[in-house]
Amino acid sequence: MKRLISTFALAAGLAVWAAAAVAGPVSNDDILKDATSTGDVLSYGLGPQGQRFSPLAKLTPETVAKLVPAWSFSFGGEKQRGQEAQPLVHDGVMYVTGSYSRLFAVDARTGQKKWQYDHRLPEGIMPCCDVVNRGAAIHGNKVYFTTLDARLVALDKDTGKVVWNKKLADYQAGYSNTAAPLVVEGKVITGNSGGEFGIVGMVEARDAETGELVWQRPMVEGHMGTLNGKESTMTGKLNASWPGDLWKTGGGATWLGGTYDPETRTLFFGTGNPAPWNSHLRPGDNLYTSSTVALNPDTGEIKWHYQTTPHDGWDFDGVNEFVSFDLKKDGQTIKAGAKADRNGFFYVIDRTNGKLLNAAPFVSKITWAKEIDLKTGRPVYIDDNRPADPSGAEKGKPVFAAPAFLGAKNWMPMAYSPQTELFYVPANEWGMDIWNEPITYKKGAAYLGAGFTIKPLYNDYIGALRAMDPKTGKIVWEYKNPAPLWGGVLTTAGNLVFTGTPEGFLKAFDAKTGKEVWKFQTGSGVVGCPITWEMDGEQYVAVASGWGGAVPLWGGDVAKLVKDINQGGSLWVFKLPKA
């Protein structure tokens, strides 16, 4: 009996020692292993490649009915708006950002707040698409996030005290930041927002300890990059694809942040729309806007680029996340990446060199292009569907274009399951009346040169969660939702797919069939990104709830359809209790 008690004591002691061993600072290696670790969530995308796949398998289509709320945490009664964040979890603490540039640390077991940081925002910030923030990053003893007045803030992860606070850009010129940073090999990598104000898209790397700038890479041709405080190389070639001085206010914002592939040591950032929207003012491809750009993490040099919408005239952007995966096809395994673009096509690209492997529609109606030429990689345009040149008039001839500029898929990240070998894409079916207008650049003013009204394509649904086969480009299954889908997706080894709806539900689907197997009403529209992790032997799921984002602000006729959805601001955590 004494020996048995001693054995239990030893086991308990080892468990305490093991728990203590994993506590403390977050290392580069911890972040690289985030996709396979189950006791934490250390990066936006549940791993630097952004697959949003968890190897946890206790929750299944059969057991998910037992998933119950563990606790809920309020972000505050006044500062609601869109809650688009993905939480992080480390050492029993959850870190989640909220609207209006706030960051909360919450006990992951109880929901009790440990600390809160409210960034002091100045008057005159110019966020394009709501006062959202999509998440934080963690490294060492610091947690990092960006703000609506274009700053990068590092906080002590245990106390919430400011360690450093760096200016990224001039908010009075239209710059802002909403994306979750990415930590790669001791550097904090950020993108910027503000493409509607004629800013210049940028990717920056800063030392995670000091916040000092390591390198900077502009995303518009003609601008000079920097490395270690000195000019490095020009992005592209001056006036190669931009006329006159338009490159100086060319847009190309990197507002969704990036992903990182450790196998090829490559950063991938999507770039936004060229400015202004009126494409007749800027003949040419307008590099490197509406593209995926591959970058060297040490220097910021461009390895390759792939432009999804050259000479973009519909505000399709190319900012959507590029997710690395291994494409198994015809007996070969290809280091690939996939992107569900706002323009309506699902792209599969060789991530080592940027070569297009396949492109297929993931929505039912695309009017701006007939197809993507797989030999050239370029779209085959339908010229009559480009908004017309106003030719000195107040307004050019309108066209009806699909998808709408809010995209076949907007910011909300998709997920990939190595088990099913499918991507799960939150899509939307809508179109728009769009026309061009004359415009000149003015610092801090909207720089569109276009007008628009978004309209639903169908009476019974707008949103559609679709399972895409990257080998064929075919849709395997779909779930249709009345309101637009505007939240991220999570998939698990338990054969589940989670996503939220504006109607307030967090839902779970069978990853193979698309059958809905569970749902929970959170009280407000879910436009955040769900996560899952294991704690104390139980599997947990969390998601932020709070309706907002671009749809109620820019949605035209669609905004009228969803005007009665209540705002909110809360974090919901669920768990599968032990048997």
Side-chain angles (χ1 to χ4, degrees):
M1 183 66 179
K2 287 182 179 179
R3 178 176 294 180
L4 186 61
I5 293 172
S6 297
T7 302
F8 281 132
L10 177 62
L14 288 172
V16 171
W17 177 85
V22 298
V26 175
S27 69
N28 293 322
D29 194 48
D30 293 334
I31 295 170
L32 290 177
K33 293 178 179 177
D34 191 31
T36 55
S37 65
T38 58
D40 51 31
V41 178
L42 300 178
S43 57
Y44 189 78
L46 281 73
Q49 291 183 321
Q51 292 186 354
R52 297 186 177 271
F53 170 81
S54 170
L56 286 172
K58 289 182 180 179
L59 278 169
T60 68
E62 291 72 38
T63 64
V64 73
K66 299 177 182 178
L67 188 65
V68 294
W71 51 263
S72 179
F73 174 82
S74 173
F75 293 142
E78 295 179 1
K79 294 183 177 180
Q80 297 186 350
R81 308 292 303 186
Q83 308 296 344
E84 293 186 352
Q86 179 219 291
L88 303 178
V89 180
H90 171 63
D91 191 22
V93 179
M94 183 175 291
Y95 302 91
V96 60
T97 59
S99 56
Y100 292 97
S101 302
R102 296 173 294 161
L103 199 154
F104 304 84
V106 183
D107 187 309
R109 290 179 173 85
T110 66
Q112 182 175 351
K113 184 173 71 176
K114 299 178 75 69
W115 54 259
Q116 176 178 341
Y117 171 77
D118 289 10
H119 187 69
R120 183 173 292 180
L121 291 168
E123 295 290 333
I125 58 170
M126 289 176 275
C128 144
C129 306
D130 207 356
V131 288
V132 300
N133 189 284
R134 298 191 176 93
I138 189 169
H139 179 267
N141 289 307
K142 302 179 188 67
V143 59
Y144 311 85
F145 82 122
T146 61
T147 66
L148 289 167
D149 60 341
R151 303 190 74 92
L152 175 62
V153 182
L155 305 172
D156 183 294
K157 70 178 178 63
D158 298 317
T159 66
K161 300 295 184 183
V162 176
V163 180
W164 48 258
N165 180 337
K166 300 292 184 181
K167 179 180 177 180
L168 299 175
D170 179 8
Y171 73 89
Q172 292 177 318
Y175 287 89
S176 59
N177 291 74
T178 55
L182 179 69
V183 177
V184 175
E185 299 174 9
K187 293 186 285 290
V188 185
I189 319 292
T190 57
N192 62 6
S193 305
E196 274 61 58
F197 296 94
I199 59 91
V200 174
M202 197 81 66
V203 180
E204 290 189 347
R206 292 177 179 266
D207 185 282
E209 285 300 309
T210 66
E212 294 306 309
L213 185 65
V214 178
W215 56 256
Q216 185 182 68
R217 175 52 52 192
M219 291 288 107
V220 177
E221 273 193 333
H223 293 272
M224 188 67 67
T226 68
L227 176 64
N228 298 323
K230 299 178 181 178
E231 288 189 346
S232 55
T233 59
M234 181 179 286
T235 299
K237 183 180 179 182
L238 182 62
N239 290 136
S241 64
W242 287 88
D245 287 340
L246 281 172
W247 59 276
K248 294 180 179 179
T249 51
T254 49
W255 57 266
L256 193 52
T259 58
Y260 175 67
D261 175 39
E263 294 182 23
T264 60
R265 292 197 71 247
T266 306
L267 290 164
F268 302 106
F269 272 74
T271 63
N273 59 282
W277 288 18
N278 183 344
S279 62
H280 298 278
L281 296 175
R282 43 173 174 78
D285 283 353
N286 311 132
L287 290 174
Y288 289 84
T289 65
S290 300
S291 302
T292 293
V293 182
L295 301 169
N296 181 318
D298 299 324
T299 64
E301 293 296 324
I302 295 176
K303 290 185 173 185
W304 56 258
H305 79 279
Y306 179 81
Q307 192 171 34
T308 46
T309 314
H311 196 214
D312 185 357
W314 304 266
D315 185 41
F316 284 148
D317 280 32
V319 78
N320 302 67
E321 71 282 359
F322 184 81
V323 179
S324 297
F325 75 109
D326 291 335
L327 176 65
K328 299 172 184 176
K329 186 176 182 180
D330 301 329
Q332 293 181 308
T333 299
I334 302 170
K335 292 184 188 301
K339 177 182 185 177
D341 200 87
R342 269 168 64 174
N343 69 20
F345 289 97
F346 183 87
Y347 295 83
V348 179
I349 296 169
D350 187 320
R351 69 180 188 264
T352 67
N353 56 24
K355 184 182 186 315
L356 179 65
L357 301 175
N358 194 28
F362 66 96
V363 286
S364 65
K365 190 176 183 65
I366 296 175
T367 65
W368 67 277
K370 296 177 182 176
E371 61 184 353
I372 306 299
D373 187 320
L374 297 183
K375 291 183 179 179
T376 66
R378 296 179 67 88
V380 179
Y381 288 109
I382 300 173
D383 292 333
D384 289 344
N385 196 253
R386 182 177 292 274
D389 186 348
S391 300
E394 290 185 9
K395 177 178 175 180
K397 181 181 178 182
V399 298
F400 181 79
F405 75 88
L406 287 179
K409 185 181 89 66
N410 199 273
W411 75 274
M412 49 281 191
M414 63 185 180
Y416 172 73
S417 170
Q419 287 189 338
T420 63
E421 298 182 355
L422 298 175
F423 279 87
Y424 302 98
V425 181
N428 287 306
E429 297 275 8
W430 43 21
M432 62 180 172
D433 291 324
I434 181 170
W435 57 90
N436 282 329
E437 301 167 348
I439 189 74
T440 55
Y441 173 77
K442 181 181 178 181
K443 179 181 175 181
Y447 190 43
L448 300 184
F452 45 81
T453 301
I454 292 181
K455 301 178 178 181
L457 293 180
Y458 306 109
N459 293 327
D460 56 338
Y461 78 102
I462 298 173
L465 179 65
R466 291 185 167 130
M468 297 288 299
D469 186 340
K471 295 190 262 317
T472 64
K474 302 295 185 184
I475 298 171
V476 176
W477 59 257
E478 67 179 3
Y479 155 77
K480 295 179 179 179
N481 194 72
L485 292 181
W486 209 254
V489 182
L490 166 73
T491 186
T492 74
N495 191 39
L496 289 173
V497 176
F498 289 89
T499 197
T501 73
E503 291 88 346
F505 289 103
L506 176 64
K507 293 193 173 190
F509 304 86
D510 185 302
K512 295 177 182 176
T513 67
K515 179 184 177 182
E516 184 180 313
V517 292
W518 178 86
K519 66 180 179 180
F520 181 87
Q521 175 58 250
T522 67
S524 182
V526 177
V527 296
C529 299
I531 61 168
T532 188
W533 75 101
E534 190 172 43
M535 187 167 59
D536 306 326
E538 297 173 313
Q539 186 173 349
Y540 284 75
V541 175
V543 72
S545 169
W547 173 239
V551 175
L553 296 174
W554 294 76
D557 290 352
V558 174
K560 298 174 186 176
L561 295 176
V562 296
K563 64 181 175 59
D564 293 328
I565 295 176
N566 288 328
Q567 285 193 340
S570 59
L571 179 65
W572 282 90
V573 173
F574 308 85
K575 73 174 181 177
L576 180 67
K578 292 178 182 177

